[in-house]
């Protein structure tokens, strides 16, 4: 023989009780899960030591390329951002330090490119002047 069908109210109560238990279990686990996520988020950002080294090297390279004369504003901006990145490192604000160091590197690279471009432009101007002088001398000799 078949079991008699369960009354609707009993089935409904059983489902409601199961849902209540699942909800309580979820509420118990949520704070622990939240704490785990927060701790992982804090520990997940490593110190950007490699980026700091790259940025420091880029600022030095820009200075050697003559950026102090040819692109002083860009070089100064790169140095200021690098200083801010170093300060953020001491405060262990690694996310901010990384962003500032990346910006400092880009600014330093811009300063270097502007400097090299200015130097090349200056050299091209000197070459044009030399060519002009040679033409004048050739013109004098050919007359």
């Amino acid at each position: 023989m078949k079991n008699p069908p369960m009354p609707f109210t009993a089935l409904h109560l059983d489902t409601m009780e199961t849902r209540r238990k699942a909800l309580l279990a979820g509420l118990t686990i949520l704070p622990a899960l939240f704490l785990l996520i927060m701790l992982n988020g804090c520990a997940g950002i490593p110190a950007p030591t490699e980026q700091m080294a790259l940025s420091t090297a880029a600022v030095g390279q820009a200075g050697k390329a003559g950026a102090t004369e040819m692109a002083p504003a860009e070089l100064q901006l790169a140095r200021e951002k690098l200083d801010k990145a170093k300060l953020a490192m001491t405060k262990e604000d690694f996310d901010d330090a990384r962003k500032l160091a990346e910006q400092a590197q880009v600014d330093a690279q811009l300063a270097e490119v502007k400097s090299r471009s200015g130097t090349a432009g200056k050299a091209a101007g000197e070459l044009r002047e030399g060519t002009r002088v040679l033409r004048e001398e050739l013109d004098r000799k050919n007359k």
Side-chain angles (χ1 to χ4, degrees):
M1 284 199 146
K2 283 186 166 180
N3 290 336
M6 213 177 196
F8 179 72
T9 55
L11 180 65
H12 181 52
L13 284 176
D14 184 45
T15 304
M16 291 300 286
E17 182 64 23
T18 304
R19 287 183 183 166
R20 187 182 72 75
K21 286 180 183 176
L23 182 63
L24 284 175
L27 289 176
T28 306
I29 292 173
L30 267 176
L33 185 60
F34 179 74
L35 181 63
L36 183 65
I37 289 171
M38 290 302 294
L39 288 175
N40 187 32
C42 293
I45 301 174
T49 52
E50 184 178 343
Q51 182 60 53
M52 292 295 290
L54 289 171
S55 300
T56 301
V59 169
Q61 188 65 28
K64 289 177 186 173
T68 50
E69 295 90 26
M70 304 297 262
E74 290 81 3
L75 184 59
Q76 182 60 32
L77 192 59
R79 286 179 175 155
E80 288 171 3
K81 287 180 181 176
L82 185 58
D83 289 341
K84 288 179 183 177
K86 288 176 183 176
L87 184 61
M89 284 285 283
T90 61
K91 293 179 181 178
E92 294 186 9
D93 185 358
F94 298 142
D95 190 42
D96 198 30
R98 178 179 309 283
K99 289 175 187 173
L100 286 164
E102 287 170 350
Q103 291 172 9
Q105 182 181 4
V106 170
D107 290 337
Q109 289 170 338
L110 175 62
E112 181 182 356
V113 167
K114 274 188 156 184
S115 176
R116 293 193 189 282
S117 174
T119 303
K122 202 178 211 183
E126 290 172 2
L127 188 60
R128 276 192 294 272
E129 179 61 22
T131 304
R132 186 189 63 77
V133 169
L134 283 174
R135 279 190 187 146
E136 286 178 1
E137 286 198 29
L138 282 174
D139 287 344
R140 272 188 248 148
K141 286 184 180 181
N142 290 333
K143 284 186 178 185

